[in-house]
Amino acid sequence: MTDYFINKKKIINDPVFGFINLQSELVFDLIEHPYMQRLRRIKQLGLSYLVYPGANHSRFEHALGASHLMRQAISVLRLKGHEISEEEADAVTVAILLHDIGHAPFSHVLENTLVEIPHETISLLMMNELNRQFNGKLDLAIKIFKNQYKKQFLHQLVASQLDMDRLDYLSRDSFFTGVAEGIVGIDRIIKMLTVWNDQLAVDYKGIYSIEKFLIARRLMYWQVYLHKTVVSAEFLLINILKRAKELWAQGENLFTTPTLKLFLDNNFSHADFFQNILVHGKNVLDWYALLDDNDILSSVKEWQSHSDPVLSKLSQNLINRQLFRIKLTDRPVSKKWMEKTLNQITKQITNDKNLSSYLLMSGEITNSAYNRHTENIKILFKNGKVKDMGKASDINLSVLTKTVRKYFTCYPKELDIN
């Protein structure tokens, strides 16, 4: 086989940030790996495209964007005299590039439906497997990701209340949804970053940009991530898969892709992933790495014509965007109302109370833009003193630190509720 030179210092044209330079050969090789290519087939915002038609961007784009912002942050911190070696720069860039690599299809929607393991855990398992395949080249990246490296500020660039992940997804999701409230001054925020006592901090001149960032995050949660119609669609999909798993367990014949079939057929535990058990010649992690949005949507599309009335109805509702009506309240819905509605669903639609529960969904959603009880955003003043953002700001940030909780119920629009 003839060896030939491959130029790994690529330039990628990103619609949000313009040209992105890949400055590391390791980053290029990781991007080319099937684990990373899988993220092209997982939507960043799950089912949000049913509300915002442009929200079809992928987790792959987000990972590239976050790694681009990481390189910018490294350059700024170096200019301010904070020592970051080339090895550390590569490692923290790899850490942010791979931070979402373990996401389930449709982002968080299926995290506790098909696989009851947090995506952060699977991301770390995938990083460890990549490290094995790349002969230990990810050792430092994994240490930074796990916050086990001596320079804590590097971990905070990957995971904190002001990390490159949040800066990218706010701008990217705002761009593709068209929700202008999510636009933040990323360039200024990054240029205001500094390090104090091995902690990531923000120069006091950037305080107004941070206020805007926190407000934008709160608004994006209510307008995009927790939009009530998106919540309705997500729980519709959850119930579709719950019904599919139940029918599968009963021996019903369902169309599925081979990968989805494996996850309908098994309830894989943490141990199954950690021990890398073999199933049909592949370990569980490699099977998981084949699972993406296409497996789910192609199966749901076929389930529209299934003989089971609940599975077919729910699948038709999702595919044709006939989403359930959703009501948000400040208090949990009473058991009496739920029971009454369940009876009406049985009477008007299913004629079977056991099946009616699939057509009535309830739960709660929460929104907290700034958590004072985790790592706070530190503001560094001219005199060298540092204050928490909540105390440094001259506006009342209590609305941003308060956890707002709302309760919801979803039911078919055709239901005639008396």
Side-chain angles (χ1 to χ4, degrees), residues 11 18 54 57-58 66 140 184 195 201 283 301 311 350 371 384 401 407:
I11 297 175
H57 55 302
S58 69
L140 184 53
V184 293
V195 176
N283 62 45
K301 187 178 75 171
L311 183 64
T350 66
N371 190 343
T401 58
Y407 302 88

Side-chain angles (χ1 to χ4, degrees), residues 169-389:
Y169 76 61
L170 277 180
S171 292
R172 190 166 301 278
D173 298 346
S174 172
F175 179 89
F176 282 102
T177 59
V179 177
E181 285 79 3
I183 297 173
V184 293
I186 287 182
D187 288 343
R188 180 164 178 80
I189 289 174
I190 289 178
K191 283 182 169 54
M192 292 296 109
L193 291 178
T194 188
V195 176
W196 173 85
N197 239 5
D198 194 35
Q199 300 289 304
L200 194 64
V202 179
D203 189 280
Y204 75 98
K205 291 182 290 185
I207 193 167
Y208 302 121
S209 298
I210 301 302
E211 288 173 351
K212 174 72 162 51
F213 163 76
L214 293 174
I215 292 168
R217 189 163 181 265
R218 178 180 182 274
L219 294 176
M220 282 292 285
Y221 264 84
W222 287 130
Q223 288 188 246
V224 178
Y225 311 125
L226 297 177
H227 188 289
K228 67 176 187 175
T229 307
V230 174
V231 171
S232 173
E234 289 175 349
F235 276 83
L236 189 59
L237 179 55
I238 287 169
N239 274 15
I240 288 171
L241 286 163
K242 281 182 179 178
R243 184 57 177 166
K245 287 192 80 171
E246 183 177 314
L247 291 171
W248 190 269
Q250 294 171 3
E252 282 280 347
N253 183 32
L254 292 178
F255 169 88
T256 67
T257 63
T259 308
L260 180 58
K261 176 181 182 294
L262 189 82
F263 286 91
L264 289 175
D265 217 13
N266 298 274
N267 291 313
F268 292 119
S269 65
H270 279 70
D272 294 330
F273 275 88
F274 279 100
Q275 293 169 12
N276 263 338
I277 67 165
L278 286 176
V279 184
H280 304 310
K282 289 190 182 77
N283 62 45
V284 177
L285 194 63
D286 282 340
W287 275 112
Y288 182 87
L290 294 174
L291 189 66
D292 58 45
D293 291 3
N294 296 326
D295 293 280
I296 308 301
L297 273 185
S298 58
S299 299
V300 173
K301 187 178 75 171
E302 291 298 318
W303 294 343
Q304 291 180 97
S305 57
H306 195 273
S307 58
D308 179 74
V310 169
L311 183 64
S312 61
K313 175 178 173 51
L314 295 180
S315 299
Q316 288 170 25
N317 281 121
L318 185 65
I319 294 297
N320 298 309
R321 202 191 175 279
Q322 296 168 354
L323 305 178
F324 283 12
R325 177 169 283 113
I326 181 169
K327 289 190 175 181
L328 295 180
T329 56
D330 294 328
R331 296 179 181 177
V333 178
S334 69
K335 290 182 179 179
K336 183 178 179 181
W337 187 92
M338 291 290 288
E339 186 64 28
K340 178 185 175 185
T341 305
L342 201 62
N343 288 334
Q344 288 183 283
I345 291 173
T346 303
K347 181 180 178 181
Q348 297 176 30
I349 301 175
T350 66
N351 295 317
D352 184 338
K353 195 168 184 178
N354 291 326
L355 298 181
S356 297
S357 60
Y358 283 100
L359 276 64
L360 180 62
M361 311 154 202
S362 64
E364 64 180 62
I365 52 178
T366 58
N367 182 4
S368 178
Y370 183 56
N371 190 343
R372 291 176 300 176
H373 305 295
T374 59
E375 290 178 341
N376 299 336
I377 297 175
K378 297 174 177 62
I379 305 298
L380 179 63
F381 288 86
K382 259 186 175 181
N383 58 9
K385 291 185 178 180
V386 167
K387 287 185 179 180
D388 168 67
M389 179 62 191

